[in-house]
Structure formats: C-alpha cells, structure tokens
Amino acid sequence: MELEVRHLRVLCAIADTGSVRKAARQLGMTQPSLTTQLRRIESALGGQLFSRERTGSRPTPLGRTVLCRARPLVAEMNTLVAETQAAVVRAAGPHLRIGGTASRAMAGWVSRVHARLPDADTTIRVDVSANALLQMVALNQLDVAFVHEVEGAPLRIPDGLERRVLVAREPQFIALHAHHPAARQSVVPLSDVAGDRWMVDPSVDGEWDGVQRALRASGFTPRVAYGDYLTAADMVAAGEAVAPCQPTSQPRHGMAIRPLRGDPIAVELFMASRALPEGTAGEVGTAEVDALYADLVAAYREAAAAATTYRQWLARNNRPLLYVDEDELSRTAGCA
C-alpha cells in the first residue's frame, strides 16, 4: 500500500482528538473502518504509531516522528484546497458558509441572514463537535461557527481565530421522563437524578467531562449510556435515562425539562471567525462578521424567549436574556 494524503489526515486526526472514535467522527467515518485503515497504515510503515490506552490513543515514538513529517504536508494540502475553493466562491458570487453545533437558534440565524442578504448563497454545516467546526473555520472551510465550550473542558481553538462571546455562562438543564419524581419540582437538585443512568453523546466535545465533574463533585459515581442526541431523547421519553440539554430545548411528548439547582453544568456560547482585515481577497470581512454576530444575537434571544422553562428560570433569577456587550451589539447592528 502506498501512503496518500488521506492516510496522513487519519494520523493527524487521531493525534489531535486523542481517540480513534473521535477521529472517526471528525472524518465522517465509522470507528471500525478507521481502525482497519490505521492498521494498514501501520503495516505499510512497519511499526505501531499509536498506543491504545483506556483513556484514548497516544502517539508512540515512531508515531511522533511520522506526525512531524505528516502535519506540514497536510497543512499544505489544506491550504491548496481552501485557496482553490475560495477562488471558486469568488467566481460564483456572494456566498456565506455558516457552521454551528445543534441549536434552536440556527434556523432563526440563517433566516435573518437570508433576509439581510437575499442574493447570497449559503452553506450550512451542523456538527456536534465544536472542535471540528473551529478547525473548519481556521482552514477557511467555514466563515463563522456558533459553538459552545463546556465549563472545565476547554476547546482546542486554532491560532488566528476570534471569538465573540454570546453568553459567558449558560446553565445546562436536565431532560427527564415527564413522570420522574424529580419532574414535580421547578428546580431539580442534582442528588435527585444522580442515581439515574445518564445518556450522553461522546461526540459532543466536553459533554461527558462536564457531567462527570458535576456528579463526582457532589459525591456520586455516574452510570452512563452513550448515544446521539436523538437516541437520548427516545431513552428519556421511555424513562430509561436522563440527559443534559440546552435550556432552549423544547420537550417532546413524555419528557420534561428542568433546571438543575446551583447550575452545576454550564457552557460558554460564542461565535468564532478568522481574524481578517476588511477587504481580504476571497474572505468575509470584519463588517460582515459583525453583522452575522448581530443576526445570531437576535436569533438566540428569540429562541431563548420561546423556551418556557428557560424564560421562567431567567425571571426567577433576575437575569437578562443574554449577556452580550450592548455597545458592541449596537455597533455591529449598524453594519448590517
């Protein structure tokens, strides 16, 4: 087998994410197929490149040597692809590339962009991995991305990105069965759900870390089931699990959403973009990024106000809907 750039991408992804499972998610592959490909690469090179540990995968000394050579090659290829794509976009006319982790605000955000720029084409990328989206912004595959960072589990933010903070600390609520004893309360103590099985998506950067940290700080050893957020909703509605959720979430039939007492699990919400001067060839400039941020703020306020449980929590805690710099917002709104 001859090594190709795609094989080098595999090695870099495993090293960057620290896990074959996370790398497979980032690359859009299944874990078994990525494991098979890694074995073929190691066979072609004649040695083990990663040591498989309980906490993930770490480069061996040989792996570190290969990665030192692979990273510049992958970076050069990424630059080639990004510059070529930018040239195609310039030739095709106005085009915005927007990314985000799943959020109730996404539809409203894109709707506002379309209303403001009716002749612009848009590409929308939703991914549960904030780290993957940030990497796409850094590689000029996205213009902006709206992501969340779990408290205590920092994201890997590439060099050259700017972040506009939408909410500095937003609590994560709990989704539970409508007839769960804790659902009778308007605010749920963590101890009342600590013994339940917690459903988390291992592809959501930092989610399981945040849940474990909160439960262990309260003296509990969590039980966990792994699955995507659609499976989690089914499990919660069936009474098989509880799950952390965004406060803007809307409950489905058989489900209740409640805040946790003391807000033990929280995230920061921000929009990321590349740091670029106005008028950079083939790039979305500062004025448009500012306008996109203003659109996002308006969309998130709308989504938060529509969520009854979150709206009640905000009123009960005497909190404004969003913690944003109103002076900055007024300036960016003027750019729209």
Side-chain angles (χ1 to χ4, degrees):
M1 169 180 121
E2 291 188 3
L3 282 185
E4 302 174 13
V5 173
R6 62 190 178 92
H7 300 134
L8 303 183
R9 290 187 195 280
V10 164
L11 301 181
C12 292
I14 296 172
D16 291 341
T17 61
S19 149
V20 172
R21 172 179 53 77
K22 290 182 179 179
R25 177 67 186 84
Q26 179 177 301
L27 295 168
M29 303 172 63
T30 65
Q31 183 173 338
S33 64
L34 184 58
T35 299
T36 299
Q37 191 164 108
L38 175 58
R39 287 173 180 160
R40 289 174 179 167
I41 295 170
E42 290 178 326
S43 176
L45 292 175
Q48 185 175 352
L49 302 179
F50 292 91
S51 60
R52 284 67 160 177
E53 302 173 3
R54 190 172 60 85
T55 56
S57 299
R58 296 181 179 276
T60 62
L62 176 61
R64 287 193 291 271
T65 299
V66 173
L67 285 165
C68 285
R69 296 280 188 170
R71 288 190 190 280
L73 296 173
V74 171
E76 283 296 323
M77 182 57 70
N78 288 339
T79 300
L80 171 64
V81 171
E83 289 179 351
T84 303
Q85 290 175 338
V88 172
V89 168
R90 286 196 301 272
H95 191 100
L96 290 174
R97 300 162 299 169
I98 297 171
T101 48
S103 169
R104 288 277 174 178
M106 282 296 292
W109 186 20
V110 174
S111 177
R112 283 168 170 80
V113 172
H114 288 167
R116 184 169 54 79
L117 301 170
D119 296 328
D121 292 331
T122 54
T123 297
I124 303 161
R125 170 67 181 261
V126 176
D127 197 303
V128 296
S129 171
N131 281 316
L133 291 167
L134 293 175
Q135 188 67 23
M136 292 182 72
V137 175
L139 294 174
N140 193 23
Q141 296 168 354
L142 291 173
D143 296 309
V144 295
F146 174 42
V147 301
H148 67 273
E149 181 177 69
V150 178
E151 191 171 69
L155 296 172
R156 299 185 302 277
I157 300 179
D159 293 337
L161 292 195
E162 290 183 346
R163 54 200 286 171
R164 288 167 170 80
V165 176
L166 194 71
V167 187
R169 190 176 193 273
E170 180 180 77
Q172 297 299 279
F173 287 1
I174 188 78
L176 63 168
H177 191 266
H179 298 300
H180 192 294
R184 303 190 190 105
Q185 306 171 81
S186 59
V187 180
V188 175
L190 189 60
S191 58
D192 286 7
V193 289
D196 287 75
R197 187 174 302 280
W198 287 68
M199 190 83 182
V200 297
D201 186 342
S203 301
V204 177
D205 298 314
E207 180 176 82
W208 180 225
D209 292 335
V211 170
Q212 284 189 101
R213 186 175 293 105
L215 287 169
R216 288 175 176 168
S218 299
F220 298 98
T221 300
R223 295 185 298 150
V224 63
Y226 296 106
D228 58 56
Y229 72 97
L230 292 175
T231 303
D234 291 337
M235 292 282 283
V236 169
E240 293 295 325
V242 300
C245 67
Q246 300 172 20
T248 52
S249 300
Q250 300 283 2
R252 59 186 287 183
H253 179 71
M255 180 191 296
I257 293 176
R258 299 287 184 267
L260 291 166
R261 181 174 296 166
D263 309 325
I265 307 171
V267 302
E268 179 184 88
L269 303 177
F270 66 92
M271 188 187 83
S273 62
R274 289 179 304 287
L276 296 167
E278 185 60 41
T280 302
E283 304 280 3
V284 170
T286 302
E288 180 54 39
V289 171
D290 287 344
L292 287 167
Y293 176 70
D295 290 337
L296 175 59
V297 169
Y300 202 81
R301 282 191 164 132
E302 181 179 69
T308 302
T309 303
Y310 193 21
R311 193 172 64 246
Q312 292 171 344
W313 181 92
L314 291 163
R316 190 164 52 245
N317 290 275
N318 193 28
R319 298 273 291 273
L321 193 55
L322 289 179
Y323 288 103
V324 296
D325 186 331
E326 295 294 342
D327 291 335
E328 177 186 0
L329 186 56
S330 64
R331 290 194 301 271
T332 59
C335 298

